[in-house]
Amino acid sequence: MGTLNGLDRSVGRDTESGRQFSSVREQTEKLCEPLTPEDMMVQSCPEASPAKWHLAHTTWFFETFVLSEFLPGYRPFHPDFIWLFNSYYNAVSDQPLKKLRGSFSRPSLVEILEYRRHAEAAMARLIDSDMPVEVERRVVLGLHHEQQHQELLAYDIKNAFWSNPLHPAYKAGELPESKKSELTWVSEDGGLVEIGHDGDGFCFDNEQPRHKVFLEPFELASRLVTCGEYLDFMRDGGYERPELWLSEGWDTVTAQQWRAPLYWFQAEDEWQVFTLRGAVGLKALLDTPVCHVSYFEADAFARWAGKRLPTEAEWEVVAATLPAKGNLLESGVLHPVAGEQGSLRQMFGDVWEWTASAYLGYPGFAALPGALGEYNGKFMCNQMVLRGGSAVTPASHIRSTYRNFFSPATRWQFSGMRLANR
């Protein structure tokens, strides 16, 4: 996208903090490079936001929670941006309805990019100063916030292109060839274990405090559920059998007329799957993880298979023994791939894994003070926890204690499942 090229990005590169800041900010705009200004206006579903809005809101976060508080003499770029690009922080200001973000033809993309440069120049001055520890923590929080929006950008771009009758591809090229990976079961003894962040490095407030949990012995599937396995569920009438579904799930299936995962469609009696590389025949993806299913669908599939979804504690005690590596954003694939052979695969990357755990605060949880306390805590109701990251999660953003969360009917995110067994 030509509008993003040729702009000065010299933001505090002489320090480690400056390099990290520049790297994250550049990654956000790199994700937008294949888009036209028209693409960046689209808001195609209630969960989504326009790409242009993401560029502005991630800048708003630094301006509101870092620059305005900690850089003496900082002058905000525009007095209306404090409320215009506020997402949900009620303690900061009122904000426009989320569903109206696609109507923001003004400010222009050019002005939003100027907004980014204005804040980045100010951040350079702050980063190059002798930052107190609290300021550095706030900067790191802002970077992880922006990485969350990089993933949301991928979700929203995919849904926007899917909603376009032309079904354009975001990225050229073929997906990697898939090879079948056998499923085995990994046994865990359970017992008294600890979960939650141990305080080493960055984490969000919802990952703490670390605490003890008792687990019964359990088994965890060695890999994720595949498209081929989910197709078997569909062929066995999975979407027509109310006994497999939670009550609210069945109501959702009936109301939404779901018959397949999001982005699956039939063309000439053959199933196709829309990806960020365009439509791909399902036959080529049978061994890859099923993606874009809701918690309701994951739970119904597990019940059909005679298994269950793992709890988040079960998932974490297993994942904590493994390196946080996998098919993540930096791989450039932008779609789940088949797992390698081995005893335990795909714990990180490919798809966020639905768990059987409701999203609640850990024992002793305390939200951050002030407006930042709205970041996670106020959503601890009617949400389910997902773990592990996806094919569009930045690698430096994920860890075994990371708790993602969505409402159980949501499926525009890159979400799938791994089975558990007693």
Side-chain angles (χ1 to χ4, degrees):
M1 177 184 163
T3 314
L4 299 180
N5 295 331
L7 294 165
D8 179 20
R9 301 306 307 271
S10 54
V11 183
R13 293 179 183 274
D14 294 334
T15 65
E16 182 60 29
S17 295
R19 285 188 288 271
Q20 291 175 354
F21 181 84
S22 292
S23 176
V24 171
R25 297 287 285 180
E26 288 171 1
Q27 179 64 66
T28 303
E29 294 185 16
K30 183 179 179 182
L31 287 169
C32 294
E33 284 179 358
L35 306 179
T36 67
E38 292 83 2
D39 293 330
M40 297 180 74
M41 279 285 297
V42 179
Q43 182 179 15
S44 54
C45 69
E47 296 88 355
S49 297
K52 192 171 80 168
W53 187 90
H54 286 291
L55 290 175
H57 171 71
T58 50
T59 302
W60 173 94
F61 192 94
F62 283 107
E63 183 173 76
T64 302
F65 294 120
V66 181
L67 295 170
S68 294
E69 289 194 37
F70 300 113
L71 184 63
Y74 175 74
R75 297 182 63 182
F77 181 79
H78 193 291
D80 285 331
F81 285 12
I82 185 67
W83 59 266
L84 186 64
F85 295 117
N86 183 357
S87 54
Y88 53 70
Y89 296 88
N90 296 316
V92 173
S93 69
D94 292 332
Q95 61 270 176
L97 291 175
K98 182 174 181 178
K99 65 182 181 180
L100 297 180
R101 291 173 186 170
S103 67
F104 296 178
S105 60
R106 302 294 177 92
S108 68
L109 177 58
V110 169
E111 189 172 2
I112 286 174
L113 292 173
E114 290 173 352
Y115 177 37
R116 286 178 71 86
R117 301 299 169 259
H118 173 85
E120 286 164 0
M123 286 296 299
R125 297 197 300 273
L126 182 64
I127 289 171
D128 289 341
S129 68
D130 186 15
M131 288 191 296
V133 172
E134 175 54 32
V135 179
E136 189 165 358
R137 288 174 178 165
R138 195 71 66 86
V139 172
V140 172
L141 175 62
L143 294 177
H144 281 273
H145 168 262
E146 182 142 352
Q147 287 183 313
Q148 287 182 315
H149 279 269
Q150 290 168 2
E151 180 153 1
L152 291 169
L153 258 172
Y155 301 168
D156 296 348
I157 292 167
K158 184 173 184 178
N159 196 268
F161 281 15
W162 162 253
S163 302
N164 188 312
L166 297 176
H167 287 180
Y170 167 76
K171 184 173 183 178
E174 302 293 326
L175 291 171
E177 185 177 349
S178 297
K179 295 182 181 179
K180 188 172 184 178
S181 177
E182 296 300 325
L183 186 147
T184 59
W185 293 94
V186 178
S187 297
E188 295 290 332
D189 294 334
L192 192 63
V193 301
E194 287 192 350
I195 66 168
H197 199 267
D198 62 7
D200 184 17
F202 173 82
C203 74
F204 289 112
D205 58 0
N206 64 3
E207 299 172 54
Q208 291 184 317
R210 191 165 176 83
H211 61 286
K212 292 180 173 60
V213 177
F214 183 82
L215 300 178
E216 296 289 346
F218 66 96
E219 293 180 323
L220 199 64
S222 61
R223 60 160 171 77
L224 299 165
V225 171
T226 67
C227 290
E229 290 163 341
Y230 199 85
L231 182 62
D232 290 340
F233 164 75
M234 292 164 53
R235 287 171 171 168
D236 196 37
Y239 283 94
E240 290 81 45
R241 295 170 57 181
E243 72 273 15
L244 297 176
W245 296 81
L246 294 170
S247 177
E248 186 179 342
W250 182 249
D251 291 345
T252 303
V253 166
T254 303
Q256 301 295 327
Q257 298 185 343
W258 287 349
R259 293 296 179 266
L262 181 63
Y263 302 128
W264 287 32
F265 65 101
Q266 285 188 297
E268 298 180 355
D269 296 326
E270 295 287 339
W271 281 106
Q272 302 279 318
V273 179
F274 183 74
T275 77
L276 283 166
R277 298 172 186 268
V280 178
L282 179 60
K283 289 181 180 179
L285 300 176
L286 292 176
D287 297 320
T288 65
V290 66
C291 192
H292 298 294
V293 292
S294 66
Y295 171 80
F296 292 138
E297 290 163 298
D299 179 76
F301 176 91
R303 193 170 288 110
W304 170 81
K307 308 297 180 184
R308 62 176 177 84
L309 299 178
T311 66
E312 65 169 323
E314 290 171 334
W315 188 95
E316 184 176 320
V317 297
V318 175
T321 66
L322 302 171
K325 297 180 179 179
N327 174 29
L328 295 153
L329 177 64
E330 287 78 4
S331 74
V333 178
L334 307 181
H335 195 79
V337 298
E340 300 290 335
Q341 296 293 344
S343 60
L344 196 62
R345 290 91 77 193
Q346 301 173 299
M347 293 295 285
F348 296 96
D350 289 303
V351 296
W352 286 100
E353 302 177 30
W354 286 107
T355 73
S357 298
Y359 178 55
L360 300 170
Y362 286 160
F365 166 76
L368 293 172
L372 280 172
E374 298 186 63
Y375 199 121
N376 287 308
K378 72 178 186 180
F379 298 108
M380 291 176 174
C381 179
N382 301 327
Q383 315 268 349
M384 301 302 291
V385 174
L386 302 92
R387 293 297 195 110
S390 78
V392 292
T393 303
S396 62
H397 185 62
I398 196 63
R399 55 200 162 271
S400 62
T401 59
Y402 195 114
R403 306 176 77 203
N404 201 354
F405 55 92
F406 284 105
S407 61
T410 312
R411 56 184 196 162
W412 112 112
Q413 72 279 2
F414 282 56
S415 52
M417 74 200 94
R418 180 188 305 269
L419 298 179
N421 195 28
R422 289 291 182 194

